């Protein structure tokens, strides 16, 4: 008997090569891609603009050459990405396409990073926030600076050791202070990126505040130095003050990897 797929005399059958998967799942993926790229092109070439209502489902599916089911899948994906929004009983619209919407899903991806990656994310955060502080020194409105002062004043007594420390309040103030500066940079994309990174580094910052002697007092002093640079309108000093402040957190995360991953996981969520 001649062996199948081999020469005579081998006595074994060669395993047939597996054909590439071309079933419904693969087809659905490619159809969804058509929707994503098709609607993106319609936005970039001006056919659709921020706030525009999408054509009715039947017409749009025909225009893109896909099924209505695939169109719905693509629309759902674009809604998750912040590109589209569905209004009950009124159709589907292009969002404002604001950076805060389009970059918000990045925080989900950031949260999937392993604990070992938190230190790397902190390094990126330091670079971004240092630049945000420099820009804020030039662009911050008086109202933003007053808000930052109010935040720091609200935890002054705890930070200086005059009253018992509420670590949750201290952390909330930390988050608020950095958020104010990011927004005051007058760069929505930069502010959105900083916001996305903040959630993944929050536990390490809180664990440092709890475990490191004098960390809360030192952090408050650093925050005051940053605010002073902003009030003086000095971008170079603001950049250096912010960079030095965040480098201290980065160094702590590097020297205490277990505390900022496993132990910090027991801290209350944001």
């Amino acid at each position: 008997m001649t062996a199948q797929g081999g020469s005579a005399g081998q006595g074994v059958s060669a395993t047939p090569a597996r054909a590439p998967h071309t079933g419904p799942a693969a087809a659905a993926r490619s159809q969804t891609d058509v929707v994503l790229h098709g609607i993106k092109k319609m936005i970039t070439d001006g056919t659709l603009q921020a706030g525009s209502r999408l054509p009715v489902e039947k017409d749009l599916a025909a225009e893109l050459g896909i099924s209505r089911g695939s169109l719905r899948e693509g629309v759902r994906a674009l809604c998750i990405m912040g590109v589209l929004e569905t209004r009950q009983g009124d159709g589907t619209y292009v969002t404002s396409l604001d950076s805060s919407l389009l970059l918000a899903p990045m925080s989900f991806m950031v949260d999937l990073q392993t604990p070992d990656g938190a230190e790397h994310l902190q390094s990126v955060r330091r670079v971004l926030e240092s630049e945000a502080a420099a820009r804020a020194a030039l662009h911050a409105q008086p109202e933003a600076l007053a808000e930052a002062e109010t935040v720091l004043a609200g935890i002054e007594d705890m930070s200086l050791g005059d009253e018992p420390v509420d670590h949750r309040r201290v952390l909330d103030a930390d988050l608020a202070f950095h958020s104010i500066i990011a927004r005051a940079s007058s760069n929505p994309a930069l502010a959105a990126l900083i916001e996305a990174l903040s959630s993944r580094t929050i536990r390490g910052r809180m664990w440092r505040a709890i475990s490191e002697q004098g960390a809360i007092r030192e952090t408050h002093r650093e925050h005051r130095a940053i605010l002073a640079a902003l009030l003086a309108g000095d971008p170079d000093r603001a950049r250096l003050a912010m960079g030095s402040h965040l480098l201290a957190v980065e160094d702590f995360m590097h020297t205490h990897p277990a505390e900022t991953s496993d132990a910090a996981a027991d801290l209350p969520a944001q």
Side-chain angles (χ1 to χ4, degrees):
M1 180 183 294
T2 302
Q4 295 180 358
S7 57
Q10 287 180 322
V12 293
S13 297
T15 301
R18 180 175 294 178
H21 183 65
T22 56
R29 283 197 297 272
S30 61
Q31 292 269 291
T32 301
D33 286 342
V34 170
V35 179
L36 300 183
H37 291 291
I39 292 180
K40 183 177 81 169
K41 184 177 184 303
M42 294 171 74
I43 293 172
T44 56
D45 67 15
T47 303
L48 291 173
Q49 299 177 342
S52 295
R53 187 181 189 277
L54 263 62
V56 297
E57 185 180 89
K58 181 181 67 172
D59 295 341
L60 184 56
E63 181 176 348
L64 295 175
I66 45 86
S67 69
R68 294 171 71 169
S70 295
L71 176 61
R72 294 187 196 108
E73 289 295 325
V75 166
R76 275 194 286 270
L78 288 167
C79 286
I80 293 171
M81 295 162 68
V83 177
L84 301 178
E85 61 178 345
T86 299
R87 301 176 188 174
Q88 189 66 34
D90 191 30
T92 301
Y93 288 78
V94 180
T95 67
S96 63
L97 301 178
D98 183 80
S99 297
S100 61
L101 286 173
L102 299 181
L103 294 174
M106 181 180 170
S107 62
F108 178 80
M109 303 302 296
V110 166
D111 285 341
L112 294 179
Q113 290 284 307
T114 62
D116 292 341
E119 183 185 340
H120 301 303
L121 294 174
Q122 176 65 22
S123 296
V124 175
R125 176 182 173 234
R126 172 167 52 85
V127 173
L128 295 178
E129 290 211 46
S130 296
E131 185 57 32
R135 289 181 56 86
L138 298 174
H139 301 290
Q141 297 299 309
E143 296 80 7
L145 298 178
E147 185 182 0
E149 168 61 37
T150 298
V151 167
L152 295 186
I155 59 167
E156 196 96 54
D157 289 342
M158 283 189 291
S159 299
L160 299 180
D162 296 331
E163 66 177 58
V165 175
D166 180 338
H167 289 97
R168 171 53 60 185
R169 275 187 59 196
V170 169
L171 180 60
D172 287 345
D174 181 290
L175 290 170
F177 181 75
H178 285 272
S179 179
I180 290 166
I181 294 174
R183 296 195 308 271
S185 71
S186 296
N187 185 322
L190 181 58
L193 287 170
I194 291 170
E195 182 67 24
L197 290 172
S198 291
S199 63
R200 195 62 182 88
T201 60
I202 190 172
R203 292 183 184 275
R205 287 142 64 192
M206 189 169 187
W207 191 251
R208 176 181 179 240
I210 292 173
S211 64
E212 188 173 276
Q213 183 69 29
I216 293 177
R217 180 186 293 268
E218 182 62 17
T219 295
H220 191 71
R221 185 194 66 78
E222 291 165 355
H223 282 168
R224 281 292 182 191
I226 294 166
L227 182 56
L230 298 182
L231 289 167
D234 188 333
D236 292 331
R237 191 149 60 99
R239 182 185 290 110
L240 288 171
M242 180 65 82
S244 176
H245 165 58
L246 293 178
L247 186 59
V249 179
E250 191 176 328
D251 285 345
F252 178 85
M253 296 174 73
H254 178 71
T255 56
H256 299 75
E259 288 91 335
T260 54
S261 57
D262 298 334
D266 294 329
L267 294 171
Q270 180 180 3

